[in-house]
Coordinates of all heavy atoms in Angstrom, one line a residue:
A5 N -41.4 -35.2 -4.4 CA -41.0 -34.1 -3.4 C -42.1 -34.1 -2.3 O -43.2 -34.5 -2.5 CB -41.0 -32.7 -4.0
P6 N -41.7 -33.7 -1.1 CA -42.7 -33.5 0.0 C -43.7 -32.5 -0.4 O -43.5 -31.5 -1.1 CB -41.9 -33.0 1.2 CG -40.4 -33.5 0.9 CD -40.3 -33.4 -0.6
G7 N -45.0 -32.7 0.0 CA -46.1 -31.9 -0.4 C -45.9 -30.4 0.0 O -46.3 -29.5 -0.7
F8 N -45.4 -30.2 1.3 CA -45.2 -28.8 1.7 C -44.3 -28.0 0.8 O -44.3 -26.8 0.7 CB -44.8 -28.7 3.1 CG -43.3 -28.9 3.4 CD1 -42.5 -27.8 3.4 CD2 -42.7 -30.2 3.5 CE1 -41.1 -28.0 3.7 CE2 -41.4 -30.3 3.8 CZ -40.6 -29.2 3.9
I9 N -43.3 -28.7 0.2 CA -42.4 -28.0 -0.8 C -43.1 -27.9 -2.2 O -43.1 -26.8 -2.8 CB -41.1 -28.8 -0.9 CG1 -40.3 -28.8 0.4 CG2 -40.3 -28.3 -2.1 CD1 -39.2 -29.8 0.3
F10 N -43.7 -29.0 -2.6 CA -44.2 -29.1 -3.9 C -45.4 -28.0 -4.2 O -45.5 -27.5 -5.2 CB -44.7 -30.5 -4.2 CG -44.9 -30.8 -5.7 CD1 -43.7 -31.0 -6.4 CD2 -46.1 -30.8 -6.3 CE1 -43.8 -31.3 -7.8 CE2 -46.2 -31.1 -7.7 CZ -45.1 -31.4 -8.4
S11 N -46.2 -27.8 -3.1 CA -47.3 -26.9 -3.2 C -47.0 -25.5 -3.1 O -47.8 -24.6 -3.4 CB -48.4 -27.3 -2.2 OG -47.9 -27.1 -0.9
S12 N -45.8 -25.1 -2.6 CA -45.5 -23.7 -2.2 C -44.5 -23.0 -3.1 O -44.5 -21.8 -3.1 CB -44.9 -23.7 -0.8 OG -45.9 -24.3 0.1
Y13 N -43.7 -23.8 -3.8 CA -42.6 -23.1 -4.6 C -42.6 -23.5 -6.0 O -43.1 -24.5 -6.4 CB -41.3 -23.6 -4.0 CG -41.1 -23.3 -2.5 CD1 -41.2 -24.3 -1.6 CD2 -40.9 -22.0 -2.0 CE1 -41.0 -24.0 -0.2 CE2 -40.8 -21.7 -0.7 CZ -40.8 -22.7 0.2 OH -40.7 -22.5 1.6
D14 N -41.9 -22.7 -6.8 CA -41.6 -23.1 -8.2 C -40.7 -24.3 -8.2 O -39.8 -24.4 -7.2 CB -40.9 -21.9 -8.9 CG -41.8 -20.8 -9.3 OD1 -43.0 -20.9 -9.0 OD2 -41.3 -19.8 -9.9
M15 N -40.8 -25.2 -9.1 CA -39.9 -26.3 -9.2 C -39.0 -26.2 -10.4 O -39.4 -25.7 -11.4 CB -40.7 -27.6 -9.3 CG -41.5 -27.9 -8.1 SD -40.6 -28.1 -6.5 CE -39.6 -29.6 -6.8
V16 N -37.7 -26.6 -10.3 CA -36.7 -26.3 -11.3 C -36.0 -27.7 -11.6 O -35.6 -28.5 -10.6 CB -35.7 -25.3 -10.8 CG1 -34.7 -24.9 -12.0 CG2 -36.5 -24.0 -10.4
W17 N -35.6 -27.9 -12.8 CA -34.7 -29.0 -13.2 C -33.3 -28.2 -13.5 O -33.3 -27.3 -14.2 CB -35.1 -29.7 -14.4 CG -36.2 -30.8 -14.2 CD1 -37.5 -30.7 -14.4 CD2 -36.0 -32.0 -13.6 NE1 -38.1 -31.8 -14.1 CE2 -37.2 -32.7 -13.5 CE3 -34.9 -32.7 -13.0 CZ2 -37.4 -33.9 -13.0 CZ3 -35.1 -34.0 -12.5 CH2 -36.3 -34.6 -12.5
V18 N -32.3 -28.8 -12.8 CA -30.9 -28.2 -13.0 C -30.0 -29.4 -13.4 O -30.2 -30.5 -13.0 CB -30.4 -27.6 -11.6 CG1 -29.0 -27.1 -11.8 CG2 -31.3 -26.6 -11.2
R19 N -29.1 -29.1 -14.3 CA -28.1 -30.1 -14.7 C -26.7 -29.6 -14.5 O -26.4 -28.4 -14.6 CB -28.3 -30.5 -16.1 CG -28.0 -29.5 -17.2 CD -28.3 -30.0 -18.6 NE -28.0 -29.0 -19.6 CZ -28.3 -29.2 -20.9 NH1 -28.9 -30.4 -21.3 NH2 -27.9 -28.3 -21.8
Q20 N -25.7 -30.6 -14.3 CA -24.4 -30.2 -14.1 C -23.5 -31.3 -14.7 O -23.6 -32.5 -14.3 CB -24.0 -30.0 -12.6 CG -22.6 -29.6 -12.3 CD -22.4 -29.1 -11.0 OE1 -23.2 -29.3 -10.1 NE2 -21.3 -28.4 -10.7
A21 N -22.7 -30.9 -15.7 CA -21.8 -31.9 -16.4 C -20.4 -31.8 -15.6 O -20.1 -30.8 -14.9 CB -21.5 -31.4 -17.8
P22 N -19.6 -32.8 -15.7 CA -18.3 -32.9 -15.1 C -17.4 -31.7 -15.5 O -17.3 -31.4 -16.6 CB -17.7 -34.2 -15.5 CG -18.8 -35.1 -15.9 CD -19.9 -34.1 -16.4
G23 N -16.9 -31.0 -14.4 CA -16.1 -29.9 -14.7 C -16.8 -28.6 -15.0 O -16.2 -27.5 -15.3
K24 N -18.1 -28.6 -15.1 CA -18.9 -27.4 -15.4 C -19.8 -27.0 -14.2 O -20.0 -27.8 -13.3 CB -19.8 -27.7 -16.6 CG -19.1 -28.2 -17.8 CD -18.4 -27.0 -18.5 CE -17.8 -27.5 -19.8 NZ -17.1 -26.4 -20.5
G25 N -20.2 -25.8 -14.2 CA -21.1 -25.3 -13.2 C -22.6 -25.7 -13.5 O -22.9 -26.2 -14.6
P26 N -23.4 -25.6 -12.5 CA -24.8 -25.9 -12.7 C -25.5 -25.0 -13.7 O -25.2 -23.8 -13.8 CB -25.4 -25.8 -11.3 CG -24.5 -24.7 -10.6 CD -23.2 -25.1 -11.1
E27 N -26.5 -25.6 -14.4 CA -27.2 -24.9 -15.4 C -28.8 -25.2 -15.2 O -29.1 -26.3 -15.2 CB -26.9 -25.4 -16.8 CG -27.7 -24.7 -17.9 CD -27.5 -25.4 -19.3 OE1 -26.9 -26.5 -19.4 OE2 -27.9 -24.7 -20.3
S28 N -29.5 -24.1 -15.0 CA -31.0 -24.3 -14.9 C -31.5 -24.6 -16.2 O -31.3 -23.8 -17.2 CB -31.6 -23.0 -14.3 OG -31.2 -22.8 -13.0
V29 N -32.2 -25.7 -16.3 CA -32.8 -26.2 -17.6 C -34.2 -25.7 -17.8 O -34.6 -25.2 -18.9 CB -32.7 -27.7 -17.6 CG1 -33.3 -28.2 -18.9 CG2 -31.2 -28.1 -17.6
S30 N -35.0 -25.9 -16.8 CA -36.5 -25.6 -17.0 C -37.1 -25.4 -15.6 O -36.7 -26.0 -14.6 CB -37.2 -26.7 -17.8 OG -38.5 -26.3 -18.1
S31 N -38.2 -24.6 -15.5 CA -38.9 -24.4 -14.3 C -40.4 -24.3 -14.5 O -40.8 -24.1 -15.6 CB -38.4 -23.1 -13.6 OG -38.7 -21.9 -14.4
I32 N -41.1 -24.5 -13.5 CA -42.6 -24.5 -13.5 C -43.2 -23.9 -12.2 O -42.7 -24.2 -11.2 CB -43.1 -25.9 -13.9 CG1 -44.7 -25.9 -14.2 CG2 -42.8 -26.9 -12.7 CD1 -45.1 -27.2 -14.8
N33 N -44.3 -23.1 -12.3 CA -44.8 -22.6 -11.2 C -45.8 -23.6 -10.5 O -46.0 -24.6 -11.0 CB -45.6 -21.3 -11.5 CG -47.0 -21.6 -12.3 OD1 -47.0 -22.4 -13.1 ND2 -48.0 -20.9 -11.8
P34 N -46.2 -23.3 -9.3 CA -47.0 -24.3 -8.5 C -48.3 -24.8 -9.2 O -48.6 -26.0 -9.1 CB -47.4 -23.6 -7.2 CG -46.3 -22.6 -7.0 CD -45.9 -22.1 -8.4
G35 N -48.9 -23.9 -10.0 CA -50.1 -24.3 -10.7 C -49.9 -25.0 -12.0 O -50.8 -25.7 -12.5
G36 N -48.7 -25.0 -12.5 CA -48.3 -25.7 -13.7 C -48.6 -24.9 -15.0 O -48.2 -25.5 -16.1
G37 N -49.1 -23.7 -14.9 CA -49.5 -23.0 -16.1 C -48.4 -22.1 -16.7 O -48.5 -21.6 -17.8
I38 N -47.4 -21.8 -15.9 CA -46.2 -20.9 -16.3 C -44.9 -21.7 -16.3 O -44.6 -22.2 -15.2 CB -46.2 -19.7 -15.4 CG1 -47.5 -19.0 -15.4 CG2 -45.1 -18.8 -15.9 CD1 -47.6 -17.8 -14.4

């Protein structure tokens, strides 16, 4: 990811199976501790 995004926001992994809506799988805060 670009640095200005990576350093400022929580980051999230999302997945989507065929015929299904998106599902948030996991997230992490900028510092990595939460």
Side-chain angles (χ1 to χ4, degrees):
F8 81 93
I9 295 174
F10 202 76
S11 64
S12 300
Y13 305 107
D14 289 358
M15 298 299 296
V16 186
W17 283 103
V18 181
R19 68 183 182 185
Q20 187 166 10
K24 302 290 185 179
E27 176 189 13
S28 295
V29 176
S30 189
S31 64
I32 189 167
N33 74 316
I38 303 174

